[in-house]
Amino acid sequence: MPNLVPPVVPPGSLAASAQPVIDAGDGLVLRPWTHRDGPVLLASRQDPSIRRWGVRSVESVEEAEEMITAWADGWKTETTAGWAVARGEEILGHAGLRTMDLKEGVAECAYWVRPLARGQGVAPKALRALSEWALGVAGLHRIELYHSVENMPSCSVAAKGGYALEGTARSSVLHEDGWHDMHLHARVAE
């Protein structure tokens, strides 16, 4: 059965080239994770704040490398992508597209920042850079951002990143401590 509407982003558009390095300004870049980053990813995922708001644990370097491989494979299949947020050789955090639907032109983003970089504007800069690339260069139409209503720092990052609060999804994500209401923010292409 033919579609009445063509894909927003043609299949193969992203996978046809290597995952880009994205300049976030102030010496920050978003670069693809590599297996040599496994120990840093493992250590980062042990941080109580990152664990609190995440839904997946990483308990070994091997599991960190599996996550990095999944992001690389996600780029090839155009379904997900993850970037290390770095300044020089130091990894400060993560920014990524948890899901991508090129046909619909929609993605969901996620981010976190290591304790050593918190309060320095790293997360909003990374989120803005990722969003501008995804909506501009990649050609997506809408990026959604979800966070627990209890995670007020993430709400602040979303606002600074240009994401409008659209509403609350009640009891929608199960964390270690139970079901959480989630704020839905979104940013759309101009």
Side-chain angles (χ1 to χ4, degrees):
M1 187 176 308
N3 288 321
L4 294 173
V5 179
V8 174
V9 179
S13 298
L14 299 182
S17 59
Q19 185 176 343
V21 173
I22 302 168
D23 185 355
D26 290 335
L28 289 175
V29 297
L30 281 62
R31 63 153 176 84
W33 287 90
T34 66
H35 282 259
R36 75 175 185 279
D37 301 324
V40 175
L41 180 57
L42 171 61
S44 299
R45 298 295 295 226
Q46 302 311 304
D47 173 65
S49 182
I50 293 171
R51 285 182 70 97
R52 166 124 169 79
W53 304 120
V55 294
R56 285 187 58 199
S57 68
V58 176
E59 304 300 331
S60 67
V61 172
E62 292 77 21
E63 287 182 1
E65 290 173 351
E66 287 172 15
M67 185 175 273
I68 291 166
T69 297
W71 286 323
D73 291 346
W75 179 262
K76 293 173 191 165
T77 60
E78 301 178 323
T79 56
T80 187
W83 284 265
V85 179
R87 182 176 280 127
E89 293 299 312
E90 187 166 36
I91 295 173
L92 304 177
H94 167 81
L97 299 173
R98 291 186 64 225
T99 61
M100 291 189 286
D101 182 337
L102 299 188
K103 180 181 176 203
E104 300 293 328
V106 177
E108 179 188 342
C109 67
Y111 49 84
W112 48 259
V113 176
R114 296 176 62 204
L116 62 96
R118 291 185 187 141
Q120 300 174 29
V122 171
K125 288 175 190 162
L127 179 60
R128 277 194 303 273
L130 175 61
S131 303
E132 289 164 11
W133 173 84
L135 296 170
V137 177
L140 295 171
H141 177 70
R142 177 181 169 89
I143 304 175
E144 297 176 342
L145 185 161
Y146 293 87
H147 66 82
S148 171
V149 297
E150 296 176 24
N151 187 350
M152 293 316 295
S154 196
C155 203
S156 177
V157 169
K160 290 175 184 176
Y163 282 73
L165 177 61
E166 293 188 343
T168 303
R170 296 181 309 117
S171 194
S172 66
V173 174
L174 181 60
H175 285 268
E176 281 186 304
D177 63 350
W179 288 98
H180 282 244
D181 292 351
M182 303 293 282
H183 275 166
L184 164 61
H185 298 257
R187 187 167 162 179
V188 296
E190 300 288 326

